[in-house]
Amino acid sequence: MLARDERIEPGDWMPEAYRTAVGRQIAQHARHFARGLRAEREWITRAPTLQHRASLFARVQARAAHVLHLTSTADTLSADRSGTAERLLTGPQGDCSILGRPARGFAEVGVIGWLVDGAALCLLAPLRRSSYGPLARATLLVCRGEFFHRRQGYELLLTTTHASARQRAVVQAAVDRWWWPALLMFGPPGAGPSGDARADAWKVARPSGEELRRSFVARTAPQAERLGVRLYDRQPP
């Protein structure tokens, strides 16, 4: 089927290694959205305006929907669906250290939307072409939400940086804190392909982290220029 560029569906036979590789991709992103949901909900009642509260509430709801989409996708990989969500969100899959970083101010909530969701979108987008049909379809829905969240965070920062020099300095400090953690979502600098030849052949793995990182930087740099903030080319001390 893969040779004919056809997608694998839940009723089709698949090697266990293929099932594991798909499950790993699903778990990584489901955990990202679940952690982000818990971090952002703390700011709903602390947002500066009612409009900001409503916007953030909608973002948290969307993250919960992303987790639901991915959990439902994981369900299709196993005949035993009991406890799928718990296994998915607490299992041994690799975790990203950025998920445990709390926002120190509302400007950082905007930066998280712009940078962290922007990085997540770059990581997710190739999975829309995944050979596993349910994952490709779920990722398409999730990417639509993440595109909106990235734009939402950017628009918040655009309004803030044009308010005053003091506000621009606040946004710059937030960018300084989150820029490098966002870059590390793509893995260590210089990281090559996944290293799993079978996952690459099965069209389960994404392009290399370095390739996705360059794409993310190329998209983000012009936006930073418009905001009037700096993106460091090396990690600040």
Side-chain angles (χ1 to χ4, degrees):
M1 293 181 70
L2 294 180
R4 298 191 301 271
D5 205 26
E6 296 178 4
R7 283 179 172 161
I8 304 295
E9 297 296 338
D12 298 329
W13 177 86
M14 64 187 81
E16 282 304 311
Y18 177 90
R19 194 186 306 272
T20 299
V22 173
R24 187 180 299 116
Q25 293 287 344
I26 296 172
Q28 176 183 348
H29 293 291
R31 296 180 77 180
H32 171 86
F33 291 124
R35 293 285 187 88
L37 183 157
R38 289 194 289 267
E40 289 178 333
R41 71 183 179 186
E42 304 298 326
W43 282 92
I44 293 176
T45 58
R46 300 159 65 185
T49 69
L50 182 60
Q51 181 179 2
H52 287 138
R53 290 186 184 188
S55 178
L56 189 55
F57 186 74
R59 196 156 108 190
V60 169
Q61 284 184 311
R63 290 206 189 281
H66 295 345
V67 175
L68 180 60
H69 286 315
L70 292 169
T71 302
S72 298
T73 303
D75 273 339
T76 66
L77 290 169
S78 174
D80 179 14
R81 301 187 177 188
S82 60
T84 299
E86 183 177 355
R87 291 195 304 272
L88 194 68
L89 301 177
T90 61
Q93 294 84 7
D95 212 342
C96 178
S97 60
I98 195 173
L99 301 178
R101 291 170 64 88
R104 294 178 178 174
F106 195 71
E108 292 197 8
V109 175
V111 170
I112 291 170
W114 175 43
L115 295 181
V116 178
D117 288 348
L121 183 60
C122 283
L123 290 166
L124 277 164
L127 296 181
R128 293 176 299 180
R129 301 184 298 276
S130 170
S131 60
Y132 188 59
L135 177 56
R137 293 188 287 273
T139 303
L140 181 62
L141 292 172
V142 172
C143 281
R144 289 173 180 169
E146 287 304 280
F147 178 83
F148 178 74
H149 298 159
R150 181 184 66 180
R151 187 68 189 181
Q152 192 179 40
Y154 176 70
E155 292 291 343
L156 169 64
L157 297 177
L158 193 61
T159 302
T160 304
T161 54
H162 285 75
S164 67
R166 179 178 178 276
Q167 288 293 86
R168 191 178 305 111
V170 169
V171 172
Q172 180 65 64
V175 170
D176 291 348
R177 184 166 184 257
W178 287 94
W179 172 239
W180 274 90
L183 290 181
L184 289 177
M185 290 175 65
F186 300 97
S194 65
D196 189 336
R198 290 181 303 179
D200 292 336
W202 288 334
K203 301 181 182 179
V204 173
R206 296 184 300 256
S208 72
E210 189 61 34
E211 183 180 347
L212 292 173
R213 190 197 324 275
R214 290 196 199 101
S215 175
F216 171 65
V217 172
R219 294 179 183 181
T220 306
Q223 295 176 333
E225 185 175 355
R226 187 180 177 196
L227 289 173
V229 298
R230 301 180 306 279
L231 300 178
Y232 293 98
D233 58 359
R234 59 182 179 179
Q235 188 169 8

